Amino acid sequence: DAKTTQPTSMDCAEGRAANLPCNHSTISGNEYVYWYRQIHSQGPQYIIHGLKNNETNEMASLIITEDRKSSTLILPHATLRDTAVYYCIVRVLVMDTGRRALTFGSGTRLQVQP
Amino acid sequence: ETGVTQTPRHLVMGMTNKKSLKCEQHLGHNAMYWYKQSAKKPLELMFVYSLEERVENNSVPSRFSPECPNSSHLFLHLHTLQPEDSALYLCASSQARGSEPQHFGDGTRLSIL
């Protein structure tokens, strides 16, 4: 099963871009990379996902390396409300019946500083 | 507003009590999930429902009993819990089972005395 590795914590100045890295060197060819975040006292929130092309939506951009062994989530203009734990996830097999489901790791705690 | 509502938001119960957690989604999704989030531990997937079908993680103790009467509602019945069961219990839904982007509720903070 593909495993992800993220830094435990990062700081970012308000208004600057936040670049959150993730390593997933054992990802298989048909596995997607998903990003979620969890703001304190709330449930996780979906941000973006991709397979091999770079993706952008209203929240963030996702850059995936050509070999797909790592990716970077970019918040272009971080605000104080972006302070949260950010999870990089790949599809893994966890259920005994063979159904694929998301597995959350420990994530990166992003602190946006004023 | 995520479209997934969990009640209650906080629950304190004794080890001999029986209680239920409720989750409701208004997104028209076909799959619903229960997760457990303990302090300083990763999110743990507990149960998955897809339409009328339940996919169960065998490592979940029987004192946790899920119920999915329809695709919009999910319950987690609790009985004879242990102090280590204190955690944040999160419900999520997605269009289909598996790794579709999931929409989470804000959870029920459960404390076992």
Side-chain angles (χ1 to χ4, degrees):
Chain A
D1 294 342
K3 177 184 174 182
T4 62
T5 303
Q6 299 177 253
T8 303
S9 64
M10 294 181 64
D11 287 342
C12 176
E14 188 178 18
R16 305 296 294 269
N19 298 299
L20 294 97
C22 180
N23 288 321
H24 32 78
S25 59
T26 60
I27 192 171
S28 61
N30 61 349
E31 288 184 316
Y32 286 77
V33 179
Y34 287 81
W35 283 84
Y36 286 76
R37 72 179 182 184
Q38 188 172 17
I39 297 171
H40 182 62
S41 298
Q42 297 182 20
Q45 176 190 23
Y46 166 76
I47 301 172
I48 198 168
H49 73 283
L51 182 63
K52 54 184 178 180
N53 297 322
N54 297 337
E55 303 287 344
T56 296
N57 62 21
E58 65 278 4
M59 291 182 68
S61 294
L62 175 60
I63 308 298
I64 302 175
T65 58
E66 190 170 345
D67 61 10
R68 302 207 329 121
K69 292 185 177 181
S70 65
S71 61
T72 301
L73 178 75
I74 301 173
L75 307 179
H77 305 287
T79 70
L80 298 178
R81 288 175 294 181
D82 292 322
T83 293
V85 177
Y86 286 77
Y87 296 99
C88 169
I89 301 158
V90 298
R91 297 175 65 179
V92 295
L93 181 64
V94 294
M95 307 298 279
D96 292 340
T97 59
R99 311 225 189 276
R100 288 185 171 268
L102 296 173
T103 297
F104 288 74
S106 299
T108 296
R109 184 171 298 278
L110 175 69
Q111 180 69 50
V112 180
Q113 306 283 357
Chain B
E1 175 59 49
T2 66
V4 179
T5 304
Q6 290 187 244
T7 54
R9 289 297 309 276
H10 303 274
L11 179 62
V12 180
M13 57 187 286
M15 289 189 285
T16 59
N17 293 156
K18 291 184 180 181
K19 295 287 184 182
S20 296
L21 309 184
K22 179 182 177 182
C23 176
E24 185 173 1
Q25 59 98 359
H26 308 280
L27 301 169
H29 288 167
N30 293 322
M32 297 186 76
Y33 311 78
W34 278 117
Y35 287 86
K36 176 184 179 183
Q37 188 172 37
S38 303
K40 299 184 179 180
K41 291 180 67 176
L43 234 62
E44 302 171 59
L45 179 63
M46 300 176 71
F47 300 105
V48 179
Y49 271 87
S50 177
L51 298 174
E52 303 302 315
E53 182 180 6
R54 183 176 78 182
V55 178
E56 183 170 356
N57 185 325
N58 291 337
S59 65
V60 180
S62 60
R63 56 186 183 269
F64 295 92
S65 176
E67 179 189 3
C68 189
N70 55 62
S71 59
S72 299
H73 294 86
L74 186 65
F75 295 89
L76 187 63
H77 303 300
L78 316 171
H79 65 94
T80 322
L81 294 193
Q82 303 300 309
E84 62 265 28
D85 296 323
S86 297
L88 180 68
Y89 289 85
L90 290 157
C91 172
S93 70
S94 64
Q95 186 60 50
R97 67 171 184 259
S99 61
E100 295 289 331
Q102 296 182 18
H103 296 254
F104 285 80
D106 286 334
T108 294
R109 174 71 61 186
L110 177 65
S111 298
I112 307 300
L113 301 177

